[in-house]
Amino acid sequence: MDIKTATALRRLRLVSAPEAVSFILLLVCSVLKRTTDFNAVPVMGSIHGILFVLYVLFWADAWNRTKWPLKTAALYFVLSVLPTGGFFAERKLKRAAEDAVIASRARREGVVNA
């Protein structure tokens, strides 16, 4: 894996958890808006919107660089629109990055022809 691909995956991973948190907070703010006088929806909506746009841009960049199959790319996109999906995406991306590092070290040391 080259450095640009690793960077694209890292950016996607780093934005996925905050995007999920902002989505959950937006849902909480929506409930509070309906049940109390507290209205933080405009602020949380803006924050979540920015994080979602960043997620989609980083997702598209990662898809382009990694050449994921359509099924994998679709999974990461669907995870972005589920309230807690970003946490699962972050975990899955972290595992993939760790596996890539292990495979790279094994190739470099000549242990495996991976």
Side-chain angles (χ1 to χ4, degrees):
M1 178 181 310
D2 67 336
I3 192 72
K4 289 185 178 185
T5 304
T7 302
L9 289 173
R10 182 170 167 77
R11 279 193 309 242
L12 180 60
R13 193 175 69 109
L14 290 176
V15 80
S16 62
E19 191 272 336
V21 169
S22 72
F23 194 1
I24 292 169
L25 289 175
L26 180 60
L27 293 174
V28 169
C29 288
S30 294
V31 170
L32 289 174
K33 177 183 176 184
R34 307 268 188 259
T35 58
T36 66
D37 292 335
F38 183 74
N39 185 11
V41 172
V43 173
M44 263 329 292
S46 298
I47 292 169
H48 174 67
I50 290 168
L51 288 171
F52 180 74
V53 167
L54 285 174
Y55 183 95
V56 170
L57 289 173
F58 294 159
W59 166 80
D61 184 37
W63 184 15
N64 182 39
R65 293 188 185 280
T66 60
K67 307 297 186 225
W68 284 326
L70 183 59
K71 183 178 177 181
T72 303
L75 171 69
Y76 284 119
F77 187 78
V78 167
L79 288 174
S80 74
V81 296
L82 297 175
T84 58
F87 299 122
F88 296 108
E90 194 273 336
R91 183 181 303 153
K92 195 166 177 59
L93 287 165
K94 184 176 182 181
R95 280 192 201 136
E98 290 170 351
D99 291 346
V101 167
I102 291 169
S104 173
R105 285 182 183 158
R107 274 193 307 273
R108 189 173 53 235
E109 294 172 3
V111 176
V112 196
N113 191 11

